[in-house]
Amino acid sequence: MANMKEIAKMARVSLGTVSHVLNNSAVVREPVRLRVLEAVQAAGYQPSQLARGLRRDKTNMIGMIIPDITNPFFPAVVRGAEDVAFSNGYRLILCNTDNDHSKELVHLNELRTYLPAGLIVIPSNFSDLTTQAESYRRAGTGVVCIDRLPKNWSGDSVTADNEEGAYNATRCLLQFGHTKLATITGPLHLTNAKERLDGFKRAMREARLHLAPEYVQETTFDKQGGYSKTLILLRLIPRPTAIFAGNDMIALGALLAIREAGLRCPEDISLIGFDDLDLAETTNPSLSSVSQSGYQLGTTAARILLDRLEGDKGPAKHLVLETTLKIRHSVAAPPGAPRRNRASKGRRSTKPGLAEERA
Amino acid sequence: MANMKEIAKMARVSLGTVSHVLNNSAVVREPVRLRVLEAVQAAGYQPSQLARGLRRDKTNMIGMIIPDITNPFFPAVVRGAEDVAFSNGYRLILCNTDNDHSKELVHLNELRTYLPAGLIVIPSNFSDLTTQAESYRRAGTGVVCIDRLPKNWSGDSVTADNEEGAYNATRCLLQFGHTKLATITGPLHLTNAKERLDGFKRAMREARLHLAPEYVQETTFDKQGGYSKTLILLRLIPRPTAIFAGNDMIALGALLAIREAGLRCPEDISLIGFDDLDLAETTNPSLSSVSQSGYQLGTTAARILLDRLEGDKGPAKHLVLETTLKIRHSVAAPPGAPRRNRASKGRRSTKPGLAEERA
DNA sequence: GAGATATTTTGAAAGGTTTCAAACGAGTTC
DNA sequence: GAACTCGTTTGAAACCTTTCAAAATATCTC
């Protein structure tokens, strides 16, 4: 690969001048500028990002730390971030933590040695991101936290409006006439799981319905968890006629358990999930879900990061993205209820988009 | 961040010695070695990957270029590659091409400036990877191509046994008694789409069944393509009673079209896809599919790459991974046929794993 | 214990860029 | 025509490693 020295020689100028042309860091007379540009063109020269990063004390890489790219919700987030990053000249280094905070720590330490321009992080379970991010910020590296927040997070963040989404989903179930509701939540130390439970409870409270503790089951955000906790719920007396699942994977497990128990969804039990994964449309019955745009989560986070890199020194941003309720075939009136109010296929609720900003 | 100079001072040795301790590049007396290690520990020192890469002319980054992380097949591939890479001290830079070869080219050129240790590539449509890879190889950078191969590819590769998988799927349909088969292929300039069609044709030939050209529809590897091509197939006379889809997204679109046309799967039309995505299990009816392990594709590619980095100079490797046929509810005997031979739920065929190696 | 040899440590160069102070050249002013 | 400006260009240092030849030290042999 050609280097700057060769370009300098070709264009009969000094190293410094080449650099200035490439970075617009000083005015260079037009004829000289052109000569340099020509040489660059002719040699197919591209500056070494390593040397540049070393000298500038900052590269054009963005570290993206997520639990697991294999989890169907995350690819869209990554893609959103990559699109914005890429079109602004930044590249993504992808790291999976498997929700293991020690693996997260390894990544955080390791990434430092690349002098990344910034970090976009979906924190792991029991993440220690807050202290780590502090040291990054001291080094001038932006850190944006998305989807869920670690303990004491005070930096930039982008999340979905989990509380409101869950509230709307629950209200929908109530409007269908259900009174025996249950919920299967994700791990409640995760802020998103907690907020969804809060939304569920708010709707229940407003409807003046009592919520016995055994109707709230906590588990991991996966199919297996949804399956086993649903079996528990189905043994309760009275049996719940509607379940709000903390995410679609849990809902999927619930669907399995319901079917296996010889019950039908939605005739016997209605079900709403969260995330609106692609698979929600294709299950049997199709799964109702609180839709949040992972892609938008990613683009927004990257946008904030880039703004910071361009010098935005404002106070920490906490963006909250709106959700949309998608009612499909997994919701109906409870058994024995007068059957007005059939499930209307398709969207409802408000349009998606940037919502309120709590600063 | 502490640098090597500080460590050297703390341990009262020279820069070179610190480097030797860190890299085992020369024997260092035990007491000295310990002093250095202690200083490293105390300072929490981590060597700058940038400086190291610059000096060594090679970083520990692996460029991973894929069409689109949002496509449900690819995350597992990426994860497989990341796992192997990470546990060997390498990191992944993720690039999406959207199947656009000019975007691929941009990534290939850009990545060069990071001096990556290697590249793992799923080539885009009409990829020019072959010439690009040549120049990478000259620079000592390994390139492994996976899933499908660009024109004239002669380097290392890992692919699924597409031909055999498609052949097995088709034979299964034939055994169920179908004689009017159709297939919807992916873009036939992609080697994997082509090979799957070949397998389909081989089974048809062996069964001495004529295959009229209109029963072979080519489209893109997505739901939309599957949907529209299925509508065309359904208008043919005689109407096919079984469809082999080039991948699961196409199959999903086919399912939609079948349902919309007022037909039933599998009673009227049987359907088999390819890839065995997670969603195949949850569709209605559950989708039969040729299962290939994306994860294994990724790990194998990374493994080959690492072997190359450790000095393996052998001839180009062409690994071909076996597939497994998963028959679910989307397959049954054709309408009007004597109904022996009901679909047996669950796996069949051989175990997954590394298959033959064509060198 | 001197000389030779083997082992360990050092110092400086190199890798490709950015950046800053200094040098340069062309006008301008008196 | 000397002294000054102003706008351009240059050269060298710095960023943090690795590596290689050379220096320093330890070990061995007689």
Side-chain angles (χ1 to χ4, degrees), chain A residues 34-298:
Chain A
L34 252 43
R35 245 169 37 226
V36 171
L37 255 26
E38 233 164 64
V40 166
Q41 197 76 50
Y45 167 77
Q46 287 193 292
S48 158
Q49 294 295 337
L50 293 184
R52 173 175 282 183
L54 182 60
R55 180 59 234 235
R56 283 196 184 154
D57 224 52
K58 177 155 293 189
T59 64
N60 63 346
M61 293 185 263
I62 293 180
M64 178 131 198
I65 302 182
I66 63 172
D68 179 10
I69 189 69
T70 271
N71 177 323
F73 179 65
F74 297 131
V77 183
V78 171
R79 188 59 210 267
E82 210 250 351
D83 279 359
V84 171
F86 178 70
S87 64
N88 287 77
Y90 290 88
R91 300 294 171 262
L92 233 52
I93 301 191
L94 185 69
C95 307
N96 294 289
T97 63
D98 286 316
N99 265 322
D100 175 348
H101 67 283
S102 69
K103 209 170 163 197
E104 181 183 86
L105 191 60
V106 170
H107 282 302
L108 283 167
N109 279 327
E110 160 90 21
L111 277 175
R112 219 186 291 271
T113 67
Y114 291 101
L115 305 181
L119 254 44
I120 299 177
V121 185
I122 299 178
S124 70
N125 286 342
F126 311 109
S127 171
D128 189 30
L129 182 62
T130 303
T131 52
Q132 292 299 314
E134 183 47 45
S135 102
Y136 267 101
R137 255 194 299 269
R138 266 199 307 272
T141 308
V143 182
V144 178
C145 197
I146 58 180
D147 191 35
R148 37 165 119 145
L149 310 181
K151 276 237 169 313
N152 303 318
W153 183 253
S154 59
D156 294 330
S157 72
V158 188
T159 54
D161 198 339
N162 293 298
E163 205 272 351
E164 183 79 7
Y167 171 80
N168 288 335
T170 311
R171 275 199 43 146
C172 168
L173 291 171
L174 293 168
Q175 278 166 359
F176 266 88
H178 292 274
T179 53
K180 272 298 160 198
L181 309 203
T183 184
I184 305 176
T185 77
L188 289 173
H189 58 85
L190 295 179
T191 51
N192 53 358
K194 177 67 165 49
E195 289 164 10
R196 289 171 199 177
L197 175 58
D198 289 346
F200 176 79
K201 282 182 169 167
R202 174 157 67 100
M204 291 293 277
R205 215 166 35 240
E206 284 184 7
R208 305 200 187 290
L209 285 173
H210 176 65
L211 180 62
E214 61 272 25
Y215 287 78
V216 175
Q217 294 286 337
E218 176 181 356
T219 182
T220 47
F221 269 136
D222 55 31
K223 199 154 66 174
Q224 179 52 44
Y227 176 83
S228 58
K229 294 302 181 183
T230 301
L231 290 183
I232 294 176
L233 289 178
L234 295 182
R235 280 198 293 270
L236 294 179
I237 298 175
R239 192 170 64 208
T241 62
I243 298 177
F244 169 60
N247 78 352
D248 281 355
M249 297 312 281
I250 291 180
L252 212 59
L255 209 53
L256 236 65
I258 291 170
R259 198 178 303 159
E260 214 162 275
L263 295 168
R264 295 158 308 162
C265 172
E267 291 83 351
D268 298 311
I269 302 199
S270 289
L271 184 60
I272 301 188
F274 205 112
D275 285 350
D276 191 29
L277 301 178
D278 282 341
L279 60 80
E281 274 188 306
T282 61
T283 54
N284 176 27
S286 59
L287 183 63
S288 306
S289 191
V290 179
S291 182
Q292 63 165 327
S293 168
Y295 187 82
Q296 205 187 347
L297 213 55

Side-chain angles (χ1 to χ4, degrees), chain B residues 193-211:
Chain B
K194 177 66 166 46
E195 289 163 10
R196 289 171 199 178
L197 175 58
D198 289 346
F200 176 79
K201 281 183 172 169
R202 174 157 66 100
M204 290 293 277
R205 213 164 40 237
E206 284 185 7
R208 308 198 185 291
L209 285 173
H210 176 65
L211 180 63

Side-chain angles (χ1 to χ4, degrees), chain B residues 232-274:
Chain B
I232 294 177
L233 288 178
L234 296 181
R235 279 198 294 269
L236 294 179
I237 297 175
R239 193 171 64 208
T241 61
I243 297 178
F244 169 59
N247 77 353
D248 282 354
M249 297 312 281
I250 292 180
L252 212 59
L255 209 53
L256 235 65
I258 291 170
R259 197 178 303 160
E260 215 162 272
L263 296 167
R264 293 158 308 161
C265 173
E267 292 83 353
D268 298 310
I269 303 200
S270 290
L271 184 60
I272 301 188
F274 205 113

